[in-house]
Amino acid sequence: MPTPPTPPSPDSSPEAAHRGPRTRPPYGPIALGIVALAAIGVIIWGIRSGGPAQIEKAAAPEVNTSAIQLGTLVETTKISSTVSRGEIVSLSAPSAPVTTTTTTTTTTTTVPATGFAAPTGTTGTSGTAGTTAATDAAAATDAGAAADTTAANPTAAAAGTPATGGATSTRSRVVTALASVGAEVGFGDVIYRLDGRPTVVVPGTISAWRAIDEDTSDGIDVLQLETFLGSAGFDADGDLDVDSTVDDATIEAIEDWQTSLGIEPTGRIEFGEVVFLPDKVTVVATDVKVGAVLESGDAVLDVRTGTPYVDVDTDASWVSLGSEVSVSLDGQSTKGTVTTFSGGIARVSLPATTTARDGSTATVTLQRTKVDGALLVPASAILRADTAGPTVQVRRDDTWKTVRVEVLAAANGTAAIKATSGGELAEGEEVLRY
């Protein structure tokens, strides 16, 4: 089998031998030019399309400026403290007296099997400040507690022995109801009950000191009680004279009030059944629990009464008495009055209508005028690097001019200034802030 012919190589062909040695064409510079043109095209495309090849211009440095203002420089101090619902008053249990009064007649008393004093007959009259044995015994029966039989000696009375004048004994009282801490008690409200009988808050500036009934002599306590009874609507007939004297209209008003309280309308208010206070109160502490047995003078509870206030600790010695200040209470703003300032403590009285609870947080804003009618700039606009004194930079005709100034006062990041060394400053000009 014949062997196929081998194809000639390009270099050994007759044509190649005729052309001579082969040389490489000069493509390098042309290729570089093409690559450069392509790169330029990509850059142009990137700039037009906003792509990553876009070239950003460097931002000019930001310059902080403020306009010069003409006004009043006010110093403001904010202080947080707590609300107090007035001064603390401690309320105590009164005695439950059963009193016999000096007379020249014989008093006959029997003691029933129940153990309650029940008068069977009394002759003569009591003194104006005293009370009859019958009335006191009835009051003890209303209270649901046993009377002290030593108040009137039944053996001696049965034997016809005259009563010994002014003999008084007391008995214990039981707490049957008590207002809780934080409770606000207004006029006419029951604050606690002893032996089931209510003790009611009544408006007045003079404390109660005796029972009030038809035999009570004239006094300011009567006036305070009648004022309350009249304003609370217990004068149905319109006959009540608000004065210092107990009369039939007073007794009738007392009976109507007692009926509204759910107790027997005796026309007599026992000592301790009203508490005269100048304003509504907030209970801040209780000294006993329901069911406790109290002796005369034992503390029952503590209340705050009077005008609510805030005491703030401040070194602002410029605080002036009588000045009005802003007070923030539970997110709401009200006005207070500086009533005292001593030892770095300023007392700010709040309006009587303030509803903030005792112990709640209040923020008091104290203010004073330091300079009036001055040019005001931010304190950061004043440069103190110059040994000749402070300066400010003022923009004028797109350039910055240095003006020497005197700082009149500064407060809360603002300074009151005036130009010195022949310089000038005007309201509305821009100053550079550093």
Side-chain angles (χ1 to χ4, degrees), residues 412-425:
N412 305 115
T414 301
I417 62 173
K418 70 175 182 179
T420 61
S421 303
E424 294 183 355
L425 292 173

Side-chain angles (χ1 to χ4, degrees), residues 383-391 393 402 404:
L383 183 64
R384 300 179 181 273
D386 196 318
T387 58
T391 62
Q393 296 291 319
T402 300
R404 299 192 185 281

